[in-house]
Amino acid sequence: MRKKRVLLLSEGFGSGHTQAAYALAAGLRQLSPDVQTRVLELGKFLNPVLGPLIMSAYRKTVGKQPKLVGMMYRTNYKRSFNRFAQLAIHRIFYTQTEQVIQQLRPEIIVCTHPGPNTAVARLKRLGLDVPLYTLITDYDAHGTWASPEVNHYLVSTPVVKRKLMDRGIPSGRIEVTGIPVHPQFWESQDQVQARSGLGLRNLPTVLVMGGGWGLMEEEDELFTYMTRWREEVQLIFCTGTNEKSRESMLADERFNHPNIQVLGFTREISKLMDASDLLVTKPGGMTCTEGMSKGIPMLFYKPIPGQEEENLDYFVGSGFGEMLQSAATIDRWFQLIQEPYSSGRRRQRLQSKSSQQYDPQECPSAVLRLMR
């Protein structure tokens, strides 16, 4: 019997969309050996020259002009792609999409970015007979996600479901599943064992992340201020794919200390979260969901205007973290995590809250149910 094929389509505008696709693919394979998955960043796959140039330009815009990104997000917040926009997107980026689908012959298509979602929706309107599921990878529902050709939406929270319903999407086509995380995050490891396995000291530990793109500035006064705690607190800075930022930090004597590690891209985030007492991060949907699944308290810094602000509001409002406002916030939290009893109790409370609000297996389980 041929394995059921799931095609997951994303784009690299930020790392969260593609991470969600890979996480869902891994979850599906974990729960069902009869499922075969394929993840594609569709625009980059179809346009190997133009695609990376567009991604690079977007990345620079996010880093240098975040307010412009926020303005664009809000300006088009309530708008779905109309047929003219769908045609333009198709001709510029996605002209070979139908051929890819015909070649891979998936039973279902799951889109984790509005671009491929729009391309597949257009093909369905023209006669493509493959179910389309849309996985919204933030804690908000921008209008560009919505399309009448989508068979089913997988969303993070009841609030996002309500926003889609307000746009006229029937309740029965929306399922609250949470954003999927890789099976590595489904369970937590003992903190002392996690530190030992990673070669870390058994000290109060803070994990600082700049997202997959490593949007972290070593000259940021709050990061340099954290190094004042390096005798009492172990600091792990993850710069993602931003090798320039990592090299700058390593060249700065303030970050050169036995209790400070500066990492680039790593696949050990799950273990690093297990080893840590506090996560300092930009409020990307994926990273925050991974942190929530681990029950680790979070401090959020410099949200990109738009969806990261919505993510911030959700996680702060739900009690999983707070905004990093000043050095005083750092002092308070770095002092709190040095109190083992209260720090342990806080982690237990957050893990309990997480288990009540979020099941990391629910999203892949929902897709498997829909495939039957």
Side-chain angles (χ1 to χ4, degrees), residues 185-197:
F185 293 86
W186 290 6
E187 296 180 0
S188 296
Q189 184 181 13
D190 175 79
Q191 189 176 66
V192 175
Q193 290 181 352
R195 289 172 181 167
S196 176

Side-chain angles (χ1 to χ4, degrees), residues 2-20:
R2 183 171 76 92
K3 287 189 174 184
K4 295 180 179 179
R5 297 177 179 178
V6 179
L7 177 59
L8 300 106
L9 301 178
S10 182
E11 292 296 0
F13 292 93
S15 63
H17 300 290
T18 302
Q19 283 184 34

Side-chain angles (χ1 to χ4, degrees), residues 243 255 296 325:
E243 190 61 24
F255 293 87
I296 185 172
Q325 300 279 11

Side-chain angles (χ1 to χ4, degrees), residues 47-60:
N47 305 278
V49 176
L50 179 62
L53 293 176
I54 294 173
M55 301 303 172
S56 177
Y58 176 76
R59 181 173 180 168
K60 289 179 181 178

Side-chain angles (χ1 to χ4, degrees), residues 28-68:
L28 290 170
R29 296 192 302 270
Q30 181 94 350
L31 297 178
S32 177
D34 296 327
V35 172
Q36 184 180 50
T37 64
R38 178 72 181 272
V39 176
L40 290 177
E41 288 185 343
L42 187 60
K44 181 178 179 181
F45 177 77
L46 296 175
N47 305 278
V49 176
L50 179 62
L53 293 176
I54 294 173
M55 301 303 172
S56 177
Y58 176 76
R59 181 173 180 168
K60 289 179 181 178
T61 302
V62 170
K64 301 296 184 182
Q65 296 181 297
K67 290 183 179 179
L68 176 60

Side-chain angles (χ1 to χ4, degrees), residues 2-274:
R2 183 171 76 92
K3 287 189 174 184
K4 295 180 179 179
R5 297 177 179 178
V6 179
L7 177 59
L8 300 106
L9 301 178
S10 182
E11 292 296 0
F13 292 93
S15 63
H17 300 290
T18 302
Q19 283 184 34
Y22 278 113
L24 177 55
L28 290 170
R29 296 192 302 270
Q30 181 94 350
L31 297 178
S32 177
D34 296 327
V35 172
Q36 184 180 50
T37 64
R38 178 72 181 272
V39 176
L40 290 177
E41 288 185 343
L42 187 60
K44 181 178 179 181
F45 177 77
L46 296 175
N47 305 278
V49 176
L50 179 62
L53 293 176
I54 294 173
M55 301 303 172
S56 177
Y58 176 76
R59 181 173 180 168
K60 289 179 181 178
T61 302
V62 170
K64 301 296 184 182
Q65 296 181 297
K67 290 183 179 179
L68 176 60
V69 175
M71 182 186 69
M72 294 170 61
Y73 185 88
R74 295 188 184 93
T75 299
N76 299 287
Y77 185 77
K78 295 183 178 181
R79 300 177 186 174
S80 300
F81 289 119
N82 58 35
R83 293 195 176 188
F84 176 79
Q86 287 182 350
L87 179 61
I89 291 170
H90 170 78
R91 288 186 173 176
I92 295 172
F93 299 111
Y94 300 121
T95 54
Q96 304 299 316
T97 301
E98 187 171 12
Q99 289 90 324
V100 170
I101 295 171
Q102 289 174 347
Q103 182 178 0
L104 297 178
R105 295 185 297 145
E107 269 72 29
I108 67 166
I109 298 171
V110 181
C111 289
T112 63
H113 186 276
N117 191 68
T118 297
V120 177
R122 179 179 180 276
L123 291 175
K124 283 178 64 65
R125 191 175 71 248
L126 297 176
L128 178 68
D129 188 22
V130 180
L132 170 60
Y133 304 157
T134 297
L135 169 59
I136 297 180
T137 54
D138 281 298
Y139 291 77
D140 192 22
H142 195 275
T144 53
W145 287 103
S147 176
E149 290 79 22
V150 173
N151 296 88
H152 213 79
Y153 291 87
L154 309 169
V155 303
S156 53
T157 67
V159 172
V160 177
K161 178 176 181 176
R162 171 54 59 185
K163 289 183 177 183
L164 289 177
M165 291 172 62
D166 290 343
R167 292 190 170 94
I169 298 170
S171 173
R173 289 169 54 198
I174 312 167
E175 187 162 354
V176 179
T177 64
I179 298 172
V181 294
H182 194 279
Q184 293 173 347
F185 293 86
W186 290 6
E187 296 180 0
S188 296
Q189 184 181 13
D190 175 79
Q191 189 176 66
V192 175
Q193 290 181 352
R195 289 172 181 167
S196 176
L198 292 166
L200 299 173
R201 299 185 175 191
N202 191 24
L203 291 171
T205 302
V206 178
L207 176 61
V208 186
M209 297 180 62
W213 280 355
L215 297 177
M216 182 186 299
E217 300 172 1
E218 70 280 357
E219 66 270 17
D220 189 305
E221 61 181 15
L222 292 179
F223 292 149
T224 55
Y225 184 83
M226 290 178 191
T227 64
R228 298 186 183 186
W229 286 85
R230 60 190 181 182
E231 297 297 337
E232 297 88 6
V233 172
Q234 187 167 226
L235 293 162
I236 305 169
F237 293 90
C238 290
T239 65
T241 59
N242 192 338
E243 190 61 24
K244 181 180 178 181
S245 180
R246 179 173 179 268
E247 290 175 356
S248 295
M249 281 184 161
L250 290 173
D252 188 330
E253 64 177 11
R254 291 171 294 187
F255 293 87
N256 187 3
H257 189 275
N259 291 342
I260 297 179
Q261 291 202 26
V262 182
L263 307 177
F265 176 80
T266 175
R267 299 186 185 278
E268 304 288 356
I269 296 299
S270 176
K271 294 178 183 178
L272 287 167
M273 287 186 180
D274 288 333

